[in-house]
Amino acid sequence: MKIKRIGVAAIALAAAGALTLSGCTSGAPSSTEGAGSSTAIITTNGSEPQNPLIPTNTNETGGSKITESIFAGLVYYDVDGAPHNDVAESIETDDSQTYTIKIKPDQKFTNGEPVDANSFVDAWNYGAALDNAQLNSYFFEGIEGFSYDENVPELPGLEVVDDTTFTVTLAQPESDFPLRLGYTAFKPLPASAFDDLEAFGENPVGNGPYMLDGEGAWKHNEKIDLVVNPDYDGPLKAVNGGLSIIFYATQEASYADLQGGNLDVLDQIPAGALSTYQSEFEGRSVNQAFSGIQTFTVPERLPHFSGEEGKLRLAALSKAIDREEITDVIFEGTRSPAHDFTAPTLDGYSEDIPGTEVLEFDPEGAAELWAEADAISPWSGSFQIGYNADGGHGPWVDAVANQLKNNLGIDASGAPYPTFAEFRTAITDRTIQTAFRTGWQADYPALYNFLGPIYGTGAGSNDGDYSNPEVDSLLDEGLAETDLDAANEKFQQVQEILFQDLPAIPLWYYNVNGAWSELVDNVQYGWNSVPLYYQVTKSE
């Protein structure tokens, strides 16, 4: 299966006229129309979230799988990545800079509090404020008044008009602002959340298709149990009884449960089963391209990786990796070698950006570059790549390390962390002292989303602390374009610089590899690899 090329032109802003995202049904879910609801619980795989479940502080897959299920935003993305209104009644602009957002009346959180304009404005203000140190604060950067230098408790660019209307004024016109509004960072919060946000994050109250199954629903490092929210009446209304998201220690364990009939829907297949799972689960499996890329990051703070020496060593590392061999042997052809920093499912993607040749396998050239770096400062020590052992990354990390060892003549190895949460915490706290695996699963379908949040100065997912003023300027210029092609041209210029600096080393593009049990039907995997759980049906 392959998803259609995602088109964002439909929501790109024209230079004149108003944009309205209305509540039309075109492109909306239809596979479960007419299906009756069931009380059966859908079991699926997941991972322990890094942080308490606050949308503005959740930027990893373990937590976002949950927050996307329990919070409804202004818009949602359909199976192909196209935006449609959820809580929003309309999103309008005349100039691509000031937006008037109306939400549907009579919306409620599961504790009975109203979902109103303040629910969004207060949550966004909290997410943007410097003192709150939220991982997703970068997503509010474009709103007038945002600052990285001083705390701004209330952004002047956010204004409540009435209970169901608020306005957003950006610092400049931005081409893809409406498309972002389905991302986790832009979800609403009830007023009571601000009484004790830490406690709220352990037992969050949302407004989405699912809600936590009472106190103790989140059993840390084990699972989280969600049930259907009976008050949600939006386009993602669930036709099952709920979700049980199990935090497996390894991909092999989750696959064994699927084989044994103890798991319903799986979205990660261990490397050892990639050659057999489609035949084993014939008619109940997927091998589908989605908007995601695997990389690894070498922070400039590590010895030998700053200045001219660092650039030479990063280019040498990249050229020493045979991506085609690893994707064929380790991943059985279910990945494809990277040619850029984004994903081939996106409009504007190109394999011909100047500098992309640094991703081509060239062991002789790699050795020469490494020797040039040694002439500046002789290499010492070993090279390690950190990764989470519960994510099935060991085989490819070992393969990359072996290639680096053989082609550069250095000691190289993997450095496993037991869990994703521990691994991400070490990265976020900057306590990790090695290179580390990184990657990106799109928040919304646009080139900018693979660039700004990761490589912009101070961005929330800029794990290597990369900073280049020219990159920042081009990112701003691209956002200011109201023509999608012109914006993408700026973003491609950003990538030319990234190929020179290599703040992360692109490896390959993801496919979602998944399978499901005989007990469930209507299983689809979305543009971002996540199953559309709300439409899965299960025999009782």
Side-chain angles (χ1 to χ4, degrees):
M1 295 175 61
K2 289 188 177 181
I3 59 176
K4 293 185 291 186
R5 181 169 295 275
I6 295 168
V8 295
I11 54 83
L13 305 183
L19 166 79
T20 302
L21 285 180
S22 60
C24 62
T25 59
S26 175
S30 60
S31 62
T32 58
E33 287 181 2
S37 294
S38 164
T39 58
I41 301 296
I42 308 299
T43 57
T44 190
N45 63 299
S47 58
E48 173 72 12
Q50 178 188 358
N51 297 308
L53 297 169
I54 307 297
T56 52
N57 206 37
T58 300
N59 72 342
E60 40 76 32
T61 54
S64 63
K65 183 176 284 190
I66 302 167
T67 56
E68 288 298 311
S69 297
I70 62 178
F71 290 97
L74 294 168
V75 304
Y76 74 95
Y77 306 114
D78 67 20
V79 68
D80 293 323
H84 303 274
N85 283 351
D86 190 345
V87 176
E89 189 170 89
S90 63
I91 302 170
E92 299 178 343
T93 185
D94 291 319
D95 60 4
S96 306
Q97 186 166 2
T98 298
Y99 294 83
T100 299
I101 299 174
K102 291 185 178 292
I103 65 174
K104 296 171 183 174
D106 303 321
Q107 304 283 300
K108 291 184 178 181
F109 290 97
T110 57
N111 65 353
E113 291 184 58
V115 179
D116 55 21
N118 280 297
S119 305
F120 289 94
V121 169
D122 291 347
W124 296 9
N125 274 324
Y126 179 83
L130 189 65
D131 283 0
N132 297 326
Q134 297 293 281
L135 291 175
N136 282 327
S137 63
Y138 181 82
F139 283 86
F140 306 103
E141 181 187 46
I143 299 175
E144 185 177 80
F146 180 93
S147 175
Y148 284 117
D149 299 317
E150 60 177 311
N151 191 56
V152 182
E154 295 185 1
L155 295 174
L158 294 176
E159 183 178 348
V160 174
V161 177
D162 56 42
D163 285 348
T164 58
T165 310
F166 66 102
T167 60
V168 183
T169 302
L170 306 179
Q172 63 175 13
E174 295 190 355
S175 59
D176 70 348
F177 179 73
L179 187 56
R180 301 178 215 161
L181 295 178
Y183 177 53
T184 299
F186 296 99
K187 304 296 192 210
L189 288 174
S192 60
F194 299 97
D195 296 337
D196 187 342
L197 269 165
E198 184 175 351
F200 176 86
E202 293 293 327
N203 189 31
V205 172
N207 63 319
Y210 297 98
M211 61 185 187
L212 269 68
D213 189 13
E215 291 285 344
W218 182 2
K219 297 177 175 61
H220 286 282
N221 299 303
E222 182 181 339
K223 66 174 181 174
I224 190 167
D225 292 323
L226 309 179
V227 294
V228 170
N229 173 9
D231 294 325
Y232 175 80
D233 196 32
L236 309 184
K237 191 172 181 65
V239 295
N240 47 59
L243 299 177
S244 184
I245 304 174
I246 303 166
F247 308 146
Y248 286 97
T250 65
Q251 290 184 339
E252 287 77 11
S254 59
Y255 190 68
D257 266 2
L258 181 68
Q259 290 174 309
N262 299 314
L263 189 70
D264 293 322
V265 181
L266 180 66
D267 61 13
Q268 291 182 331
I269 302 294
L274 287 173
S275 63
T276 58
Y277 83 98
Q278 291 182 82
S279 58
E280 182 174 359
F281 294 93
E282 187 174 359
R284 293 183 286 115
S285 67
V286 64
N287 175 26
Q288 171 181 300
F290 77 93
S291 297
I293 188 172
Q294 181 71 71
T295 61
F296 73 89
T297 295
V298 188
E300 188 177 352
R301 67 177 182 271
L302 298 185
H304 299 291
F305 285 100
S306 61
E308 183 62 24
E309 179 195 357
K311 284 189 176 184
L312 289 167
R313 294 202 187 280
L314 290 168
L317 291 172
S318 182
K319 286 178 172 289
I321 299 168
D322 189 342
R323 294 163 176 79
E324 188 168 347
E325 180 180 63
I326 293 175
T327 54
D328 285 345
V329 175
I330 301 294
F331 293 112
E332 298 286 342
T334 60
R335 307 287 189 274
S336 54
H339 299 281
D340 80 331
F341 289 82
T342 67
T345 51
L346 301 173
D347 281 332
Y349 166 81
S350 173
E351 295 186 1
D352 301 317
I353 302 168
T356 189
E357 58 272 9
V358 76
L359 305 183
E360 297 173 3
F361 181 49
D362 179 7
E364 292 80 11
E368 291 174 4
L369 290 168
W370 197 261
E372 287 183 47
D374 280 343
I376 297 174
S377 177
W379 173 255
S380 59
S382 62
F383 183 82
Q384 291 186 301
I385 301 175
Y387 67 96
N388 54 302
D390 60 352
H393 300 286
W396 75 255
V397 171
D398 289 343
V400 167
N402 284 332
Q403 291 182 349
L404 297 179
K405 185 185 303 183
N406 294 335
N407 296 322
L408 297 177
I410 62 174
D411 180 22
S413 62
Y417 286 70
T419 67
F420 184 69
E422 292 173 79
F423 175 59
R424 284 301 311 171
T425 297
I427 293 171
T428 302
D429 293 346
R430 303 304 192 260
T431 56
I432 192 168
Q433 298 302 317
T434 68
F436 46 88
R437 83 154 191 94
T438 41
W440 195 252
Q441 177 177 309
D443 304 313
Y444 59 94
L447 290 183
Y448 176 82
N449 183 236
F450 280 75
L451 303 173
I454 310 172
Y455 306 114
T457 299
S461 296
N462 187 341
D463 295 328
D465 297 319
Y466 172 71
S467 180
N468 186 316
E470 190 176 358
V471 165
D472 295 337
S473 178
L474 286 168
L475 288 171
D476 287 343
E477 290 174 20
L479 283 178
E481 295 284 355
T482 56
D483 176 76
L484 184 63
D485 291 337
N488 284 337
E489 185 176 336
K490 296 291 185 182
F491 299 145
Q492 301 300 29
Q493 292 175 30
V494 167
Q495 295 200 72
E496 290 185 41
I497 301 171
L498 297 183
F499 278 130
Q500 298 171 25
D501 295 348
L502 288 177
I505 295 178
L507 295 174
W508 41 78
Y509 306 119
Y510 284 124
N511 275 21
V512 56
N513 306 111
W516 54 94
S517 79
E518 295 178 334
L519 298 177
V520 294
D521 291 300
N522 298 311
V523 180
Q524 278 188 298
Y525 294 73
W527 65 280
N528 61 352
S529 85
V530 180
L532 278 59
Y533 294 115
Y534 65 91
Q535 69 177 34
V536 177
T537 56
K538 183 177 181 180
S539 55
E540 306 256 8

